[in-house]
Amino acid sequence: MNTEVEYAVESNVATVTLARPDRLNALTSTLLNELADSIEEANQDEAVRVIVLTGKGRGFCAGQDLKTVSPGMDHGDYLKTYYHPVVRALAGSKKPIIAAINGVAAGAGLSLTLACDFRIVREDAKLSLGFINIGLVPDAGAPYFLPRLIGSAKALELALLGDTITAKQALELQLVTKSVAADRFDEDVMDFAKQLAARPTKVIAYIKQLQAASFESTLDDMLAQEIIYQSRAGKTEDHQRAVQAFLEKKPTVFVGR
């Protein structure tokens, strides 16, 4: 039974909530283990077609709980044991993941959102990479994802200066998908999630896998991958449904198979 992560499924959407609101959902080894398990659970559940990652209370995640950092601790070992399984689970998810950034996202808290497919941020939220301010390098996947999202120059700027940015600035940098008013945040996140849940789930997984491969592949590699994934997509029930609906001039109802 989870103690630091809450998990719920409704309308084909799994909501995974970091649940240490008294500590701004700061990360611990227990929370990270539960988070990795929850993402895996959502991926294995055929009823789940979209995953939402958010924080309980007034913030998303303040990063690592520094009260749990012991003197002489090997940060590299800690990353390998607790953070990297979460990063791999998020980035490797076959189902789309939305980071619903409902407040402050700092340090590794921000890093984890970068491994998600979408980032919806509340308009009054503050974001900061912040590692430099405590004498550490960005981690939890940030050095990989951030330059790909906003370009190497801006990524280096955020990493070296450690500045806090607003939701508006994050949107201008294309770091987030959209910024939402506080009084509509939960509703807009769920509307976005339901929109994704109504799409062909298996094909979404294929698109994610194709795009991920493109960063380290040649054109010929990607053309070969297109053949494989388009062949798979063409055999899905959702593709057959879409063709039939088109012929009958009816809207398509995708079932995720």
Side-chain angles (χ1 to χ4, degrees):
M1 181 179 177
N2 288 349
T3 60
E4 298 187 1
V5 169
E6 296 176 357
Y7 182 89
V9 178
E10 182 180 350
S11 302
N12 300 118
V13 178
T15 300
V16 180
T17 306
L18 311 182
R20 299 186 71 225
D22 56 320
R23 296 286 298 161
L24 274 177
N25 304 313
L27 302 165
T28 67
S29 56
T30 297
L31 189 154
L32 290 164
N33 282 337
E34 292 179 0
L35 179 53
D37 290 345
S38 295
I39 299 300
E40 179 63 22
E41 180 178 351
N43 267 292
Q44 295 300 321
D45 187 347
E46 292 186 2
V48 172
R49 296 172 69 177
V50 176
I51 303 167
V52 173
L53 175 63
T54 193
K56 188 173 185 177
R58 60 190 178 89
F60 177 78
C61 178
Q64 176 67 34
D65 190 337
L66 296 181
K67 288 188 175 181
T68 68
V69 177
S70 57
M73 184 178 87
D74 189 316
H75 292 287
D77 285 345
Y78 192 91
L79 276 173
K80 181 179 180 180
T81 303
Y82 298 109
Y83 276 98
H84 289 178
V86 175
V87 175
R88 290 190 175 98
L90 293 170
S93 172
K94 293 182 179 179
K95 299 170 183 180
I97 302 184
I98 303 164
I101 306 172
N102 57 308
V104 63
L110 179 58
S111 297
L112 294 181
T113 74
L114 306 180
C116 299
D117 301 304
F118 303 94
R119 283 154 296 283
I120 299 178
V121 62
R122 210 171 78 169
E123 64 179 1
D124 56 355
K126 299 291 192 294
L127 287 66
S128 173
L129 212 52
F131 292 89
I132 193 75
N133 298 327
I134 55 171
L136 292 176
V137 302
D139 61 25
Y144 180 86
F145 295 110
L146 192 59
R148 285 166 166 78
L149 288 169
I150 65 173
S152 60
K154 277 296 179 182
L156 191 61
E157 181 181 321
L158 290 183
L160 295 187
L161 298 181
D163 289 342
T164 297
I165 63 173
T166 64
K168 181 181 178 181
Q169 289 171 315
L171 186 61
E172 290 170 349
L173 288 171
Q174 298 185 355
L175 179 60
V176 299
T177 309
K178 62 178 180 176
S179 173
V180 176
D183 61 353
R184 287 191 51 84
F185 183 75
D186 292 340
E187 181 182 352
D188 276 20
V189 168
M190 190 52 62
D191 285 348
F192 192 85
K194 288 179 179 178
Q195 179 184 347
L196 279 172
R199 309 305 295 161
T201 311
K202 277 192 174 181
V203 177
I204 286 176
Y206 299 155
I207 292 170
K208 289 184 60 175
Q209 290 163 341
L210 262 175
Q211 186 156 314
S214 71
F215 288 109
E216 297 170 1
S217 301
T218 65
L219 174 59
D220 283 343
D221 290 337
M222 290 307 300
L223 293 177
Q225 291 292 307
E226 282 182 14
I227 294 169
I228 294 169
Y229 283 105
Q230 198 68 296
S231 177
R232 293 175 183 175
K235 295 173 184 174
T236 62
E237 182 179 338
D238 279 335
H239 171 63
Q240 305 304 323
R241 281 174 164 266
V243 171
Q244 190 63 33
F246 176 81
L247 295 174
E248 296 176 359
K249 296 182 171 58
K250 296 179 179 179
T252 305
V253 178
F254 293 113
V255 293
R257 297 190 294 270

